[in-house]
Structure formats: C-alpha cells, structure tokens
Amino acid sequence: MATRIHPILGAFAILVFFFLLAPLVIIVGSALSDTTFLTFPPQGLTLRWFANIFQMEAFRRTAITSLQVALLGTGLSLLIGIPAAYALNRYRVELPRWLSTLFVLPILVPEIVFGFALLKSITIGLGLPVFISLVVGHALLILPYSVRVVGASLASFDFSIEEAARSLGCPPLKTFMTVVLPNIRAGVIAAFILAFITSINDVSVSVFLTGPGISTLPIQILAHMEQFFDPTIASVSVLLMLVTVGVMAIVEATLGLTFLTK
Amino acid sequence: MTVSLTIENLVAHYGTTQVLKDLSISVAAGELVSLLGSSGCGKTTTLRLVAGFLQPTSGRIRLGDRDLTTLPAHARDIGLVFQNYALFPHLTVLDNVAFGLKQRGLAKPDRTKRAMAMLERVGLSPLADRLPAALSGGQKQRVALARALVIEPPLLMFDEPLSNLDAKLRIDMRVEIRQLQRANGTTSLYVTHDQEEAFSISDRVAIMNAGRILQLDTPEVLYQKPASAFVARFVGFENLIRMKVVERQAAIVTAEAAGGTRLHLSQDLFGPIKDDFILACRADGLAVRREGEGIPAVLGTRTYLGRAYQYKCQTAAGEITANGPLSDPLDARAGAVLTPLPEQCCILDPEN
C-alpha cells in the first residue's frame, strides 16, 4: 500500500531539494562554460578552465599548503582533543563543569573575531612564522570538533574495561592505546573527517593568518575572484566538491556513512 | 602458591568524606571472604583499594610478603571479576581470555593453548571466536571468570559478579565460582549486598556498615550468634527486645522489658546475661501458644508462610513478629503468649 503524500508537502520537498542542488548544478555548468566570464547556462562546453587551474602555480601551491595545514592542524587538534575528551569523560565528577565549555569556545566566538584574536596573539604576539601560525590557528579552530566528537564516543565507553585491562597487568598508557583507542575508533575517524573538512574550507581564520608568500586555497580563490571573474573559480569549486565526495565515498566503503550521523 | 591477604588499619576518603574508618581484615591462604553490606558501606571502596584503583589515606595492604599499598594496579597481579563483566568489546572471547597472558609476555601459541584450556573449564570453548556482544549474560560472566583465572593470580576479587544475572543463573554461577575457587585454592575477596549469596559462597563473611567491619565470622556464627543489634537485624532477627535484669537466682535470671513484661531466662540455655541486654529473636524463635509463660500478646494480622503462620503481635514491649504452628491457627485479636526458644534467640550487648 503506497503512502499518500499531501501535495503541499511533496511540493515543499521538491523545493528543498531544488535549493540544495541548484547551486551545485550552476557551479558545474559554469565550470564547463566556454566563456571568459562566469555564466549559466554554459555557452559552449570546454575543460580548459580545469586545465587552467593546473597551469596556475598559485592554485597548486595554495592547494598543497591547504592540505598540509589541514593534515597537520587536524593531527594537532586530535593530539590535544583526544586526551582532553578522555579526561573530561573519565574525571567528569572531579573536574569543574566550565572546563568542558572551554573547549567549545572557538565555535562560540564569531570566527572573524577568533581569526583576528589569533593574528594578534600568535602571529604578532608570539611572532610565529606564517605556516606555523596557520597550523596552530586551524588546530584551535577545529579543536571543539575533536573534543566533542571523540567525547561523544567516550560517553558510551565503559571505563571499567580500562580497569579490567590494568588488573590484568596492562600499564595505563598501553591500556589507552590497546583498549580505549580501538573502542572509540569510529569517533576518532569522524572527528578527523569533520575537522579536516572544516580546516580545508576555512576562510575567516585563514584570511588573518596567511601572509606574504603563503596562502590557502580558499584565500587564493577569493584573491583570484577579485581580479578575474572567470570560470576557473567554478572549476576549482568542482574539484573541491569531487575531493569531498571522494572522502565520503571512502568512508562509506570502509565504515559506512551511518557512523557519522550516529 | 597460595598466600594470604592482610589489610591493616585502612583509612580512605572521597574528597573530605571519610569512607573507610580504620578497616583491618585478614584473608587466609585459599580462603574466600565476603564483604557484605548495603550500598555505601565501603565494601566496593575496600575492593578498589586492594585492586589499586584508589589510594588509601593511610594503612597497609599486603599480599603474602608483598606490600601492595603503593604498587600501581597493573603490577599487583590480582584477578578481578566485575559486576558488568567489563569484557573487551573489540576482542574475541579467546583474545579476551588471553589478554592477561599477553601482558605477561607469553608467546602466542602458548597463550592460545592456556586460554583454550581455561575456556574448556568454563564450558565455553565452542564460542572462542565470538565477540562479547554475541554472548548472553551468563556466558559473559564465565568469560570474565576465565579471563581472571587464567593468569593464575594469587588473589581473586569479585565485585557483585552475579547482580546482573537472573535468579536461577545466579545460583548456578555461584556454585561454579565456588568450585573453581576451591579447585585452584585461590585466596578470594568477594563483594556483595546479597546475604544469601555471601553466606552460601564464603568461608567467612565480614558484615560492613559505614566504613567499618562490624563482625567477621563464619556464616553459621553470623546467622546464629550475631554480636550486635545491627548484625542481628541484618541477618534477619525481626525482634530486638531491650531488657534489664531485675533478679538473679542461680542460673535463672528474671528480666523486665518496657511495659513491665517479665521473663525468666536460664543462663545455661541462653548463655551469660549482663544486667542490660537485648533479647534478639527471629520470628521462628518465639513460640506462639494459647497459654503458658512468656510475653503476653494480642495477635494481629495472620499471614500464611507455607511452613508456618506469621503473626504481627501487640505486646507491652512493642510490636513483635512471631511464627505459630500450622496445626493451630489463631484468630486476630486473640490473646496468646510468646515464649523465646533459646536455640533460636540470642543475647546481645547494647554497647556493640
């Protein structure tokens, strides 16, 4: 028996899908347009804007920087975030409640303010090189995701398992690596992906921290668009989308997407 | 290698709250001692202190000639069985059992062989490749038991191991635990709030309250000769009657309860009686008779217990619960006499 759907509900659902998908269709269309300006529907079809990206040294360089910053920043945030999440859950009773709020602050503070604050504190205050500032800045920006997502899987972790391991002769650090970590693996991977994507896409923090000679891809896209309003921008966006889809496909194939939404 | 566990003057705090007050206990080699008490009495704290998960404020814990007090948990070599099983969810049954052997550096073929032999003993070898999630509660607890036993620890500790199992399984498992513990001769400390469980499984039972051990004795002694009012109430003496001696004639003592009720008690039967004492009687320890010598009572509600009738009786000394024979049911509001039976009653010192 088919379920009857109210016509208004059906129309509403179609509208939602339209607004979700339309920008993507427009971007893909614009990226293929054989014109020197962004336009939709595309006039003529060409892949030369994709070729153009690879010919432009700035895009290549900033893409590499973005990847490095995202990988190092995410790694650093997990290195801080996993132990923090562990401590917050393990010693929930003993630790003051405001401590867990502290780790969410980067999300609560407007990103533009956070970016400016980082510029004042790390780049100017500490005088760190641009690349290091970017890595540290991104690590701080995405730390809330690491702490929260890893914390969510630790919340359902039974700490008596850890005690069982210790009673059987396993020292604390080894217990963490061989007993705790394998059981929160899904949370760690989810945190990694969320943090990585946030870092790769970040504009507002990066815009303050990039400096002479070093920039990230989103900043380069902005800079490029200010000078040339051509379909290169659209084709870079398509490539970024493909990378995201690729990551999701790998996740789906190895772990199943459901664990991200759990 | 069976060794004894000695706990000396253990004091422990949670923050500023003192949870253990100068607790001393000694478990002989090969003996199983239970810590019995209601929640918050300090029994689990004691176990966690011995396991090394908590640090005492003062006192010493020794296992044989080793001083455990400052040793980290992983160096104590104690087998632990948890209430919620605490199996490693990401490891198979076999790997769970082999975990402790792996920490001890045994080669893989060796530890597989020993873990399989242990699983054989608890009847779970066909499930060796399963993950814990695919086991029933009873099977999980058997794996936990095998995992604790396979390392051949000098001390085994159980933290309410049967609380999550259903009644029938609980009885089977406690027999199984007892058999395995006996067969290995492992010194054991067993924490439970279930009196029947403690009495059925233990060589000796320590009854705890508010961070102290009130009495440590065999189940038989605890059941028949509690040393204090608290323990008496705990082991099911329904009636505690406060009395004062008014006259002594040779071995016969005349004592008076509140309301003027007088009883003649023989010290030959009840044991020595001090001037001020508590007469503790189980419901079975008071004969309900139509007439005779004893506590005059007016019978209240009668309930059928299967083996006897139980009456809530009003007396001058307060409400008393007593069991009468099935052969002679008495009606509510009937007058009767309650006579203490020496073998089912005991004399307590109110100071304890």
Side-chain angles (χ1 to χ4, degrees):
Chain A
M1 194 176 74
T3 319
R4 270 183 53 84
I5 295 169
H6 195 282
I8 294 177
L9 179 65
F12 193 73
I14 289 168
L15 270 180
V16 168
F17 281 116
F18 177 76
F19 280 110
L20 279 174
L21 293 175
L24 304 183
V25 173
I26 290 171
I27 285 173
V28 173
S30 312
L32 296 170
S33 180
D34 194 6
T35 50
T36 53
F37 49 88
L38 275 170
T39 181
F40 188 84
Q43 298 165 13
L45 289 177
T46 178
L47 288 174
R48 71 183 161 106
W49 301 114
F50 286 93
N52 192 35
I53 304 166
F54 294 98
Q55 279 158 14
M56 295 183 76
E57 205 258 334
F59 275 120
R60 259 187 303 156
R61 203 180 55 228
T62 53
I64 291 169
T65 308
S66 264
L67 275 177
Q68 288 171 330
V69 168
L71 279 173
L72 290 173
T74 306
L76 186 59
S77 85
L78 284 174
L79 222 53
I80 303 166
I82 294 173
Y86 173 83
L88 287 173
N89 277 280
R90 180 81 172 79
Y91 306 106
R92 198 180 331 209
V93 188
E94 291 92 333
L95 291 174
R97 297 187 60 145
W98 54 262
L99 204 59
S100 64
T101 316
L102 189 72
F103 286 96
V104 205
L105 278 183
I107 290 184
L108 298 179
V109 176
E111 272 192 51
I112 201 100
V113 177
F114 188 64
F116 177 67
L118 283 173
L119 172 72
K120 286 289 278 181
S121 58
I122 327 182
T123 317
I124 300 173
L126 296 175
L128 290 179
V130 174
F131 183 75
I132 308 266
S133 303
L134 270 172
V135 171
V136 173
H138 277 226
L140 288 174
L141 173 73
I142 60 194
L143 186 58
Y145 297 101
S146 307
V147 175
R148 280 291 150 138
V149 178
V150 174
S153 60
L154 275 166
S156 59
F157 180 78
D158 173 11
F159 284 97
S160 63
I161 290 164
E162 202 185 34
E163 294 181 343
R166 292 185 56 199
S167 77
L168 290 165
C170 200
L173 187 62
K174 194 177 173 196
T175 298
F176 183 80
M177 303 304 273
T178 58
V179 174
V180 182
L181 221 42
N183 283 300
I184 58 165
R185 195 183 59 132
V188 173
I189 295 171
F192 182 89
I193 290 165
L194 264 176
F196 186 83
I197 290 173
T198 308
S199 166
I200 277 278
N201 291 328
D202 175 72
V203 172
S204 38
V205 167
S206 304
V207 86
F208 285 99
L209 297 181
T210 47
I214 298 182
S215 191
T216 63
L217 188 56
I219 303 300
Q220 177 58 30
I221 292 174
L222 273 179
H224 183 89
M225 204 172 68
E226 280 167 4
Q227 290 174 20
F228 322 94
F229 197 67
D230 64 15
T232 314
I233 302 300
S235 44
V236 171
S237 309
V238 170
L239 284 186
L240 272 178
M241 268 158 53
L242 288 177
V243 167
T244 310
V245 170
V247 169
M248 287 304 169
I250 293 168
V251 171
E252 171 62 23
T254 51
L255 297 154
L257 269 182
T258 45
F259 91 88
L260 273 182
T261 51
K262 260 194 294 207
Chain B
M1 51 146 195
T2 50
V3 295
S4 59
L5 169 73
T6 316
I7 297 171
E8 288 165 2
N9 309 105
L10 213 54
V11 176
H13 290 81
Y14 279 131
T16 52
T17 319
Q18 195 179 32
V19 286
L20 284 190
K21 296 159 186 162
D22 193 27
L23 183 133
S24 298
I25 186 172
S26 165
V27 183
E31 189 185 29
L32 193 156
V33 168
S34 287
L35 302 179
L36 174 64
S38 46
S39 64
C41 72
K43 57 190 193 298
T44 298
T45 303
T46 308
L47 180 131
R48 294 176 63 77
L49 283 161
V50 177
F53 301 142
L54 295 175
Q55 279 301 310
T57 315
S58 63
R60 292 214 314 157
I61 301 163
R62 284 186 298 124
L63 188 58
D65 50 11
R66 282 196 304 153
D67 189 337
L68 299 185
T69 318
T70 54
L71 228 50
H74 61 270
R76 294 196 177 194
D77 203 17
I78 294 171
L80 255 170
V81 180
F82 295 80
Q83 176 173 2
N84 59 357
Y85 325 122
L87 298 179
F88 307 122
H90 62 300
L91 298 180
T92 62
V93 165
L94 181 67
D95 287 339
N96 261 281
V97 176
F99 188 90
L101 299 173
K102 193 175 174 185
Q103 307 311 316
R104 281 157 180 74
L106 258 75
K108 186 153 191 185
D110 243 13
R111 53 180 200 252
T112 305
K113 206 174 114 202
R114 276 177 60 182
M116 275 313 286
M118 198 65 226
L119 281 173
E120 195 85 47
R121 278 183 72 185
V122 295
L124 283 183
S125 47
L127 306 181
D129 294 326
R130 293 243 188 121
L131 285 175
L135 302 180
S136 71
Q139 290 168 338
K140 281 182 193 170
Q141 200 53 293
R142 280 202 177 82
V143 176
L145 191 59
R147 183 179 67 177
L149 279 170
V150 78
I151 58 171
E152 293 174 7
L155 177 67
L156 258 178
M157 297 204 293
F158 300 84
D159 187 9
E160 308 249 7
L162 308 180
S163 304
N164 288 355
L165 304 177
D166 60 53
K168 162 98 175 67
L169 200 56
R170 214 161 9 198
I171 294 170
D172 293 347
M173 276 301 287
R174 79 185 183 215
V175 173
E176 201 166 322
I177 287 177
R178 185 57 165 159
Q179 278 169 352
L180 283 166
Q181 186 266 338
R182 275 266 169 81
N184 290 18
T186 313
T187 310
S188 303
L189 195 62
Y190 192 105
V191 164
T192 180
H193 66 273
D194 183 325
Q195 188 192 319
E196 186 188 312
E197 189 177 310
F199 279 18
S200 65
I201 208 170
S202 315
D203 293 306
R204 286 189 299 157
V205 176
I207 295 185
M208 290 185 67
N209 185 44
R212 287 181 214 278
I213 290 177
L214 299 181
Q215 193 174 352
L216 170 61
D217 259 313
T218 63
E220 289 84 352
V221 170
L222 282 171
Y223 194 78
Q224 287 156 15
K225 295 284 167 218
S228 62
F230 183 92
V231 175
R233 211 171 271 126
F234 197 88
V235 299
F237 282 81
E238 288 93 339
N239 309 299
L240 299 182
I241 307 163
R242 188 75 183 258
M243 303 200 89
K244 276 192 167 62
V245 173
V246 289
E247 198 187 328
R248 290 178 184 272
Q249 264 188 0
I252 304 295
V253 167
T254 306
E256 194 176 273
T261 308
R262 287 197 174 195
L263 283 175
H264 302 289
L265 305 169
S266 159
Q267 292 200 81
D268 294 338
L269 298 174
F270 284 92
I273 297 174
K274 285 202 202 168
D275 283 350
D276 202 353
F277 67 97
I278 294 170
L279 177 65
C281 313
R282 291 179 193 278
D284 279 326
L286 287 164
V288 182
R289 296 183 182 132
R290 286 173 187 274
E291 51 207 8
E293 206 214 324
I295 307 165
V298 177
L299 300 185
T301 319
R302 183 180 77 200
T303 44
Y304 176 63
L305 298 184
R307 61 192 161 80
Y309 287 117
Q310 184 160 90
Y311 302 92
K312 291 274 176 219
C313 315
Q314 295 305 322
T315 74
E319 192 184 80
I320 288 179
T321 307
N323 293 347
L326 291 174
S327 55
D328 185 16
L330 296 167
D331 294 329
R333 279 191 296 282
V337 169
L338 311 174
T339 314
L341 306 170
E343 61 276 17
Q344 302 252 36
C345 297
C346 62
I347 303 295
L348 302 175
D349 185 346
E351 304 285 297
N352 285 349

